[in-house]
Amino acid sequence: MSDDDAIDDLPEQMQIRREKRRRLLDSGRDVYPVTVPLTHTIEQVRADFPDVGPGEMTGTEVTVAGRVLFIRNTGKLCFASLRSGAGTPVQAMLSLDRVGEQALADWKADVDLGDHVWVRGEVGASKRGELSIFAAEW
């Protein structure tokens, strides 16, 4: 049995995730980094910015990491709920004007529910008042 035959026997979701991993590796990304350039935990962001009003920006840039528990990809804007190991959530917002066309396309193509990701961006609140990281990089 060849390696290709073994891969063909995998469930479809595993085949899809392996293809996404291959694309990330081919693009030069480290898919299993030893360290991540974090500046804050999600809990720290929540504690430091409890009263950000709808549409407000704080001027503070942070880098956080979490597991993707919700994701909604639209045309020029993507939303993801990132959750820490302790269960604390924060919203990540990726927009075309902040991350650029390629990074947004890569996010849409390669990030799934359950993935662990990091985002760097300014802390603010969405128009609906949800505390968010307006990503400049992921």
Side-chain angles (χ1 to χ4, degrees):
M1 176 186 279
S2 73
D3 287 342
D4 289 337
D5 292 335
I7 290 172
D8 289 341
D9 288 341
L10 292 173
E12 180 183 12
Q13 186 59 37
M14 288 183 73
Q15 291 179 33
I16 290 168
R17 290 183 72 75
R18 282 180 178 227
E19 174 61 23
K20 288 181 179 193
R21 179 183 173 274
R22 185 195 57 74
R23 280 197 311 265
L24 289 168
L25 288 169
D26 289 350
S27 74
R29 286 188 183 260
D30 184 357
V31 295
Y32 306 113
V34 175
T35 61
V36 180
L38 302 180
T39 62
H40 293 72
T41 64
I42 292 173
E43 290 81 10
Q44 287 171 321
V45 171
R46 286 255 170 226
D48 291 351
F49 303 99
D51 299 317
V52 182
E56 276 184 47
M57 299 301 286
T58 65
T60 302
E61 185 176 276
V62 298
T63 304
V64 300
R67 188 169 206 169
V68 178
L69 291 188
F70 169 81
I71 195 165
R72 183 167 51 116
N73 295 331
T74 63
K76 296 179 181 179
L77 187 61
C78 298
F79 301 89
S81 177
L82 303 183
R83 197 157 297 211
S84 72
T88 306
V90 71
Q91 179 170 263
M93 294 178 66
L94 293 91
S95 63
L96 178 64
D97 65 326
R98 287 182 184 253
V99 297
E101 188 173 342
Q102 188 61 54
L104 189 64
D106 290 346
W107 173 274
K108 289 177 180 182
D110 296 327
V111 176
D112 284 318
L113 292 177
D115 286 350
H116 292 269
V117 300
W118 63 267
V119 295
R120 178 185 59 81
E122 185 177 355
V123 177
S126 69
K127 291 178 183 176
R128 294 184 176 170
E130 180 70 28
L131 187 65
S132 304
I133 311 297
F134 289 79
E137 182 181 17
W138 68 277

